[in-house]
Amino acid sequence: MERTFAIIKPDAVERNLIGKILERIESKGFRIVAMKRTKLTLEQVEGFYHVHKERPFFKDLTTYMATGGPVVLLALEKGNAIASWRELMGATNPKDAAAGTIRKDFAVDIEKNSVHGSDSPENAAFELSYFFSLTEIQP
Ligand code: RTP
Ligand code: MG
């Protein structure tokens, strides 16, 4: 079993897609082991995305995630959860995303791409602990 961290981003929450996205997650065999609907502060978002600090899209991304509206934070559990969730999300740019992926079906553009997923075991551990305490994650 592996755990990964996911976000349903503001563009998807705004369009009432929480249920549809959770349905895909559970259908693929993930167990949702923690979940929180909340609005992130700019300070929280900048800390969360610190690995992207030098990227040209950092300012736009952090502004969008903090001011675009509420998000849903998720801890997901499954064998090979990190890669499996990224496969279900699809490519960063929805134009490049494979058929049947969440981003292909729901994303607006490369920034408002509906979902986030950890990209490595190290980042998953950091991201899970950034938003969830140990006791909030329950199998
Ligand atoms: P994520 O971290 O959200 O799961 O997405 P990802 O790994 O597929 O993409 P990443 O390269 O980590 O970028 C993080 C998020 O930044 C926004 N982005 N905007 N305008 C742009 O060129 C651009 N590139 C990336 C997206 O919201 C992306 O998911
Ligand atoms: Mg990423």
Side-chain angles (χ1 to χ4, degrees):
M1 278 299 163
E2 190 175 64
R3 282 178 184 166
T4 192
F5 177 74
I7 304 178
I8 303 177
K9 294 185 177 183
D11 68 275
V13 172
E14 188 189 358
R15 289 175 291 143
N16 278 349
L17 294 170
I18 296 173
K20 286 201 173 78
I21 291 172
L22 294 182
E23 150 82 332
R24 290 188 183 208
I25 289 171
E26 290 193 322
S27 300
K28 280 282 175 194
F30 290 93
R31 187 148 182 90
I32 298 167
V33 292
M35 177 160 68
K36 218 182 301 200
R37 184 186 183 283
T38 185
K39 192 164 183 307
L40 302 176
T41 65
L42 188 58
E43 192 182 25
Q44 273 179 311
V45 172
E46 286 175 348
F48 177 74
Y49 280 121
H50 74 277
V51 293
H52 292 319
K53 213 167 42 207
E54 307 304 330
R55 307 279 281 273
F57 57 79
F58 181 75
K59 188 80 169 56
D60 283 349
L61 171 63
T62 51
T63 302
Y64 160 58
M65 290 295 288
T67 65
V71 297
V72 177
L73 311 174
L74 299 160
L76 306 178
E77 195 173 80
K78 190 189 168 178
N80 203 22
I82 295 169
S84 182
W85 170 234
R86 288 187 69 85
E87 190 185 337
L88 181 58
M89 289 198 301
T92 310
N93 189 340
K95 288 180 184 149
D96 304 325
T101 61
I102 291 170
R103 283 169 168 169
K104 180 69 176 183
D105 293 343
F106 299 133
V108 177
D109 57 36
I110 192 171
E111 177 183 81
K112 296 178 176 56
N113 58 3
S114 300
V115 280
H116 164 84
S118 309
D119 60 9
S120 69
E122 296 71 31
N123 285 340
F126 164 74
E127 293 176 1
L128 286 166
S129 69
Y130 191 84
F131 283 118
F132 292 114
S133 67
L134 267 181
T135 52
E136 284 177 314
I137 301 180
Q138 293 292 341

